[in-house]
Amino acid sequence: MVIVMKPEATAEQLQEVISKIEELGYKPHVIYGTTRSVIGAVGDERGKFVLQSLEVMDGVESVIPILKPYKLASKEVKKEKSIIKVGNVSIGGKELIIIAGPCAIENEEQIINTAKAVKSMGAHILRGGAYKPRTSPYTFQGLGEEGLKLLKKAGEIANMPVVTEVVNPEHVDLVCEYVDILQIGTRNSQNFELLKRVGQTDKPVILKRGMSMTIKEWLMSAEYILSEGNRNVILCERGIRTFETATRNTLDLSAIAVLKEETHLPVIVDPSHATGFAKYVPCMAYAAVAAGTDGLMIEVHPQPEKAFSDGPQSLNFNSFGKMVEKLRQFASIAEKI
Amino acid sequence: MVIVMKPEATAEQLQEVISKIEELGYKPHVIYGTTRSVIGAVGDERGKFVLQSLEVMDGVESVIPILKPYKLASKEVKKEKSIIKVGNVSIGGKELIIIAGPCAIENEEQIINTAKAVKSMGAHILRGGAYKPRTSPYTFQGLGEEGLKLLKKAGEIANMPVVTEVVNPEHVDLVCEYVDILQIGTRNSQNFELLKRVGQTDKPVILKRGMSMTIKEWLMSAEYILSEGNRNVILCERGIRTFETATRNTLDLSAIAVLKEETHLPVIVDPSHATGFAKYVPCMAYAAVAAGTDGLMIEVHPQPEKAFSDGPQSLNFNSFGKMVEKLRQFASIAEKI
Amino acid sequence: MVIVMKPEATAEQLQEVISKIEELGYKPHVIYGTTRSVIGAVGDERGKFVLQSLEVMDGVESVIPILKPYKLASKEVKKEKSIIKVGNVSIGGKELIIIAGPCAIENEEQIINTAKAVKSMGAHILRGGAYKPRTSPYTFQGLGEEGLKLLKKAGEIANMPVVTEVVNPEHVDLVCEYVDILQIGTRNSQNFELLKRVGQTDKPVILKRGMSMTIKEWLMSAEYILSEGNRNVILCERGIRTFETATRNTLDLSAIAVLKEETHLPVIVDPSHATGFAKYVPCMAYAAVAAGTDGLMIEVHPQPEKAFSDGPQSLNFNSFGKMVEKLRQFASIAEKI
Amino acid sequence: MVIVMKPEATAEQLQEVISKIEELGYKPHVIYGTTRSVIGAVGDERGKFVLQSLEVMDGVESVIPILKPYKLASKEVKKEKSIIKVGNVSIGGKELIIIAGPCAIENEEQIINTAKAVKSMGAHILRGGAYKPRTSPYTFQGLGEEGLKLLKKAGEIANMPVVTEVVNPEHVDLVCEYVDILQIGTRNSQNFELLKRVGQTDKPVILKRGMSMTIKEWLMSAEYILSEGNRNVILCERGIRTFETATRNTLDLSAIAVLKEETHLPVIVDPSHATGFAKYVPCMAYAAVAAGTDGLMIEVHPQPEKAFSDGPQSLNFNSFGKMVEKLRQFASIAEKI
């Protein structure tokens, strides 16, 4: 880290900062400038309160971290890309993985029909929500365990791994009995208790980006899961909150490019929640593939106009099928199969 | 709600929308414009998926909600302001309530000394974190139950009610044994499982605003607590995430003015987390009082430079004392005592 | 527009609003709800102060516009897509148009070499800045008219139309003597005096999106140019300002999808300014093509490490060449040539 | 500045960076860490392209500036606060200065009546727009020179200095003939051509913050004016653009606290544009005073419901009078008179 002293800092203040740095186990290097001094402190600076205790000292203007705060998620620790296997499916490898299904599991017919349809059109993994974190307490909250059973059944019938969102540490064991992949939703992306708990399971985890989360914070949330021993984390970009209201969120596709520099973890994209409108989903799915995503998560519903949740952003079977065809073409240029 | 048809919508499409509106239990009123038709649907539109199912229909351009989505939090349902009592302290009444204490409880001496000091300087409620939701898994995570015991003891010694953050539904019962007020932090402001659980207790709840939460969404999160039966919700503005980096977050004091129009719930302000720097805290505390806040939540630490967490934004006893004196003067102009 | 009355509005207040609506030339339709009344006002509501004067009336809760505020930019007025011709180049048609060149024109050798290189690799239009709106007054501000001359010369040698940014209404005539396309930069996107002035020329105008501009406001800025008589406006997405700092701005590719619904004007993308790092440019260029952009604007410099401005985001000739090859492949899938 | 090398940087790459630093006129100090090296470069780093040319070099991970990019606006250059005099009025001194008047000058009666009324209630300076930068080309654009004449006349009658917005470099000379203070609006806050031009006059300039401008960028825009020789710049906070839509913008009052640390220039606040609703204006004006503002800019209109522009956010005479009374009380606590 680098400690910048104020121009008016005294020699005593500088000396106290140097002593403090040594006391904290770092090696200080002072650079005496014309208007102010700067101290380089060599050592592993992770553990933020150490930094902060320097910031409060007299004569200190600012403390600038140099190392990235994440370790296990970083490419410095693991250079080769992580490939995460679920059944026959590998996420992070050569193949573009498509996860499809309804926002909420509504009944047996709906989820089984969707499973069969999306499988036949090229999807690899079935998604469906059993616990729905809805903004309003007065809207449909999901079928709970009944939904998990239907999801498992549909996955078996269509021969696909299944993924569902988990919203409560107390549900984790139950959900693990039924599904192959756990999902952490955007609203729980800094629910650290939940992150730790899923980090203690052996299920792959799809970690959605928080609505106002920087990429750095996102990787720190991944670090919570990784540091509990679960190394199977898949990052999912789903749009961030900005001032623009023409779309539900603003899909940040440059996050794919940044993450490829920063982490070995696979990255997928959810254009359905990002845009909020079915008509914009294919365009953004194509763009995500061209940008280099490892996979896509798409909301598909047999009859979007009758969906209990998020109908406007769900594709019907027909649109989904057409989109997948074109996705494959883009994928081949992007060197995915 | 108002349904706006596309200019090119056919008479059949219009008729189908009308039928759907009736089927959903609303009364449709069509306004035939020169370029497009607009339908007013009279009825209680809360329950968002109803709206959304109309959006997907052919010929529909957009669906505009008219009623606010919250009920119990709204002034339409309860006109007089809610006053929430904890021991001798009333939040939302004539008095400006000051909640003070360290970010994290570190040891007995620290919390007891702080309790005595802030009490003697005019604070009403003692705060202290036992479970700390930290961005990094490698930083101090709080003392847990041991911290709760110390907090309770400090509150008893200084004769003050105490508040602490709860981060996991599984901890709620335990935390309730030790503290008088529960706090929901910004990262858990849409952790609906946790909101429901604290809604089932009889403890007052301080609900912090999420970092990227609109005021409307914030009131919907309050609605989760209220609708479980707990009517003692206190809203706490603590800064939102914007592009500005000179402060840790951007304190949105206009939220106080808006909330006074929208809700009967008391509103307090946390300038410590909002600004992230002790030097900016007093200024923003004064501003909050002038804007009409019902209370303040201030981080105070005996030695900020040695704090395990958030030292740079903590006041020491001396600065806290000076600030409270001036706060009282502003409060008297703002018609608070 | 729709006027929502407060629940407590009196019959007199409702009547006054109705009279005011009639006085303003609209036809009011009242819908009497159970808790409040809503008035639909049929007519062209563009001209915002009319709306606002209703908002101030007693008993009015809110006024909701229904029509889009732009006319000439809208697809309602002109359904077929605008194709803008400059020399042999058509923007908005079948071909993916590539605009390339340095951020700032530095000297004759630099601009002529760049022109020849990018032309040989497939670029259609040469860009180069002569007037640079820099955040700091102490950095290179551009060569001014001398730069315009060099740009024109380079365009002639390489047989390419040229584009440059104009920053001052007083410069417009001069700039028009030298270049084929005018560019309005992000910082001037609501400099209405400049917009009006370029609207009075017959040169095509590339209008960059403002850093914190909604798509609606962007189209209103286009409307300023269009309403002065110049119908040759090209919209350029270049990233918006958000809380994320890993990239210079957040490229909003969903804007392409939204604009294709809303306007007949061509849309291009500038991934160089959006990301701020050369290493992220190709990825985002590919994504833009897959999303359906009509063109790309790319910063290219013979030696980015010696550039006077924006070196870190400039591609060198080699990277540009490789990128264009791949761009063509993506374009063919996106049905561009 | 500090240059952070990549962990895998070679000794040759390090040496090349060192040579480059020397070539640029700085003195390099290398700190050899366990995983990477860091170089401190001592010298005045202002002039950003220098920094950027290092960023592009092989082996460099990042370049971190240490000095603030502004000079003349900074407290390092001028410690004592600037007090700006206009007629009898001093901005930045002991007195809380109130600037009041309509958004747009509409006719003689309106501006003269407003001038007299606000003067009698305690305002110091009269504001009124003659050139209105409106989002839509179809709304009222101001009276132009006719408006300037009326404003001057009203100022003379009420014996108050007057301020108006200037939007075009070509208008600056004309506007200077009529008014005492020039205003740069939020949409022109990075219109550097206009900033330079007003920097060449001897009139005080009120510089509004851009909607998505960091405080650092704002001070850089001030620097444009200052570096042309005009030292009379007054900064005006007027809200920034965020995701929140309950208010027109989000008033960032912590900017006052930050600016007092960073600059000697006076700071005022415009709560009218910030909130967009008259009902929220007094609250935010009180808060601004408590936070330490040097002045306020308030929209006042004889009949807000008939205003040509921004009626909903304008106070009528009565509300303005009541607000000023209370403002004075808050000011006395804030040690302003």
Side-chain angles (χ1 to χ4, degrees), chain C residues 5 11 33-34 63 92 99 119 124 172 180 183 201 212 231 278 290 295 307 336-337:
Chain C
M5 301 299 292
T34 42
V63 177
I99 304 170
K119 171 77 176 187
H124 304 85
V172 172
D180 306 289
Q183 181 185 312
T201 73
S212 61
R231 301 300 164 97
K336 284 273 181 186
I337 53 172

Side-chain angles (χ1 to χ4, degrees), chain D residues 111-112 115-116 119 126 148-162 177-180:
Chain D
I111 189 68
I112 291 176
K116 287 181 188 165
K119 171 77 176 186
L126 178 66
L148 295 176
K149 287 179 187 166
L150 296 177
L151 181 64
K152 187 178 162 72
K153 187 170 175 185
E156 285 167 356
I157 289 173
N159 189 26
M160 302 168 89
V162 298
E177 286 176 32
Y178 293 102
V179 306
D180 305 290

